[in-house]
Amino acid sequence: MPVPSPSSRPLPALARRAAWALLSVAGWATAVGSPVAGQANPFSDEVLGVFQDPAVQAALLHVEEHDAQTMADLVALTEIPAPPFMEHERARAFMAMLLELGVDTAYIDAEGNVISRRRGTAGGRVVAISAHLDTVFPDGTDTRVRTAGDTLYAPGIGDDTRGLAAVLAVLRAMNAAGVRTEADILFIGTVGEEGLGDLRGMKHLFREDGPRIDAFISVDGTSDSRITHRGLGSHRYRVTFEGPGGHSWGAFGLANPAHAMSRGVRYFQDDADTFTRSGPRTSYNVGRIGGGTSINSVPFEAWMEVDMRSESNESLEHIDSLFQAAMLRALEEENGLRRRGPALTVSVDLIGDRPSGTIPAEAPFVQRARAATELMGLSPELGVSSTDSNIPISMGVPAITIGGGGDGIAAHSPDEGFVNRNGHVGVQRALLIVLSQAGLTRSS
């Protein structure tokens, strides 16, 4: 059945937003905000024109009227486990949904990403909208969705199964309303966004011979006003001090890996604390530790996992150098104290490397996203985070991360939940951002 046009029936929740479209260009520019003080946002009228297009209005209405289907997709995908490095089952289901809705091509690449293409009319430019397939939860986690009042509970339901459902809803609305774009649009599900996945899906997607992508939108989690245009870089290490080990009494005098590691943490924090009190925001954390066999044994190994983050690549490299120096100092001092036996060794293994970077707030892509957010009656919140967008941002490719709408609860915990509070608005915003960047092919 064709979707009714805005001229044939009123738009329920779009009525308030349609009023925004009646603002004068000067007034609209003031409402959106400008990239340079005293100047109008040059993209406000462009986004307004996209919003007013009859096919786009029909697509926005479709998102709202078919919100129940978006929620059904959310539940169906949430209940397909996608532990780190085990996203294949969910990937196959997501691709099947894309094909059922209607795309020109779809495949799963060598890393496990789902990539589908909806061809544009002009050729050349390519805009991607993506969400990540993986969750933080290990194999065996119960992912069945349970309902309590207005809240759906299940591990991973908000981060980032909500993003996947939003991507599907955007495609569904475009197809139902017959919206055509100048640029090709890629609808993508990526692997390896969480934890030790280390953005492996994105690194593969943006490899030298990867598919062309001129602008990238990651839909990650909830929110309908966030615009992440700065990538928070991180280095993650697993450090292992090793030695012969032995009885705590009989082998006393051996170099002790746990003692060495403890020294390393202290020396690192002494220097890192001073460094992080000024300059670009930078953080450090020892998140996991382990090793040893019993309380009365000199451990044969002690290990820890360390996370460092910064908005600045230079600051990240500097705190990394402080960390490396602290580990070597600790090793040398512990070996210098040993009374017998072989020296300890240390392995410092990089297990995560996410680059940082910034797409300037005044960049056209960010300004279009701001304009689209304001047009939905929302206040845009520009910020920094560690997401799939880190990779294209670090390469200078226009990229942002937005939410898929609704409210998330306790992300990354077994009690993760989702409340569909005006969730369709987040999808409508995502649709408007995609179309504003891809360009409309208007019917004559």
Side-chain angles (χ1 to χ4, degrees):
M1 174 183 292
V3 177
S5 70
S7 59
S8 64
R9 65 185 279 194
L11 305 182
L14 282 174
R16 177 170 59 89
R17 298 181 194 98
W20 283 70
L22 300 177
L23 293 172
S24 67
V25 172
W28 168 242
T30 301
V32 172
S34 59
V36 181
Q39 297 181 15
N41 179 345
F43 301 98
S44 59
D45 55 345
E46 175 187 311
V47 178
L48 183 61
V50 172
F51 177 84
Q52 291 175 319
D53 183 87
V56 174
Q57 287 279 299
L60 293 168
L61 175 61
H62 186 276
V63 168
E64 184 174 349
E65 293 190 334
H66 290 77
D67 189 54
Q69 182 59 58
T70 302
M71 293 299 294
D73 292 342
L74 176 62
V75 171
L77 287 169
T78 298
E79 293 190 336
I80 302 173
F85 300 95
M86 299 176 64
E87 305 97 333
H88 45 276
E89 184 179 354
R90 183 178 286 188
R92 288 194 294 267
F94 184 62
M95 186 172 73
M97 290 177 168
L98 290 167
L99 288 168
E100 183 177 358
L101 289 175
V103 288
D104 292 298
T105 61
Y107 64 98
I108 297 177
D109 70 16
E111 194 64 37
N113 299 312
V114 177
I115 303 174
S116 66
R117 183 181 300 268
R118 188 181 192 266
R119 292 196 181 95
T121 58
R125 288 193 309 118
V126 178
V127 175
I129 178 170
S130 173
H132 66 83
L133 294 157
D134 58 319
T135 71
V136 300
F137 301 96
D139 189 24
T141 299
D142 185 354
T143 58
R144 288 174 295 181
V145 177
R146 60 185 178 86
T147 303
D150 63 354
T151 306
L152 300 180
Y153 290 98
I157 193 166
D159 186 8
D160 183 30
T161 320
R162 175 60 187 179
L164 295 171
V167 169
L168 292 172
V170 168
L171 174 62
R172 180 182 294 110
M174 289 178 63
N175 286 349
V179 176
R180 301 305 306 173
T181 58
E182 295 175 352
D184 288 7
I185 300 179
L186 299 183
F187 294 85
I188 299 174
T190 62
V191 297
E193 194 276 341
E194 299 286 9
L196 297 181
D198 197 32
L199 304 184
R200 62 188 176 89
M202 289 296 292
K203 290 174 180 178
H204 184 78
L205 189 64
F206 281 87
R207 67 193 186 279
E208 187 173 344
D209 60 343
R212 174 175 177 171
I213 297 177
D214 298 290
F216 181 85
I217 303 164
S218 173
V219 186
D220 197 343
T222 56
S223 168
D224 52 18
S225 58
R226 171 171 47 88
I227 303 170
T228 298
H229 67 108
R230 292 180 289 154
L232 180 62
S234 66
H235 287 177
R236 293 172 175 174
Y237 286 94
R238 183 179 176 100
V239 180
T240 307
F241 288 89
E242 294 180 288
H247 195 280
S248 63
W249 175 259
F252 180 71
L254 293 176
N256 189 310
H259 296 179
M261 188 175 76
S262 299
R263 287 174 180 272
V265 173
R266 171 60 188 275
Y267 295 151
F268 175 47
Q269 184 170 30
D270 285 348
D271 291 338
D273 177 70
T274 301
F275 175 68
T276 56
R277 288 183 181 273
S278 61
R281 185 180 176 188
T282 304
S283 70
Y284 59 92
N285 182 62
V286 177
R288 297 181 67 219
I289 59 174
T293 54
S294 69
I295 192 173
N296 59 336
S297 299
V298 177
F300 64 90
E301 73 168 8
W303 59 266
M304 63 179 174
E305 291 178 350
V306 183
D307 173 270
M308 294 166 272
R309 301 183 183 217
S310 182
E311 298 177 10
S312 160
N313 275 325
E314 292 75 16
S315 295
L316 186 58
E317 292 297 334
H318 186 78
I319 197 171
D320 190 303
S321 68
L322 297 178
F323 167 73
Q324 301 282 350
M327 297 305 104
L328 291 177
R329 179 184 174 188
L331 178 70
E332 292 173 359
E333 290 190 3
E334 181 63 24
N335 281 332
L337 292 174
R338 79 185 192 280
R339 303 178 188 181
R340 57 173 165 155
L344 299 181
T345 61
V346 64
S347 300
V348 182
D349 300 315
L350 184 67
I351 58 175
D353 184 3
R354 297 187 178 206
S356 61
T358 298
I359 300 299
E362 63 271 18
F365 193 17
V366 179
Q367 286 300 305
R368 289 188 182 103
R370 289 185 63 188
T373 304
E374 290 275 6
L375 186 52
M376 300 304 299
L378 306 166
S379 298
E381 303 169 9
L382 272 63
V384 58
S385 189
S386 180
T387 70
D388 269 345
S389 291
N390 277 45
I391 299 301
I393 287 175
S394 72
M395 300 170 67
V397 176
I400 58 173
T401 295
I402 62 175
D407 294 336
I409 298 171
H412 288 200
S413 81
D415 294 323
E416 186 170 348
F418 176 77
V419 181
N420 192 30
R421 188 173 292 116
N422 294 321
H424 66 278
V425 176
V427 179
Q428 289 172 328
R429 180 179 76 135
L431 171 63
L432 189 55
I433 292 172
V434 169
L435 297 180
S436 297
Q437 189 66 20
L440 286 180
T441 300
R442 302 180 188 273
S443 56
S444 56

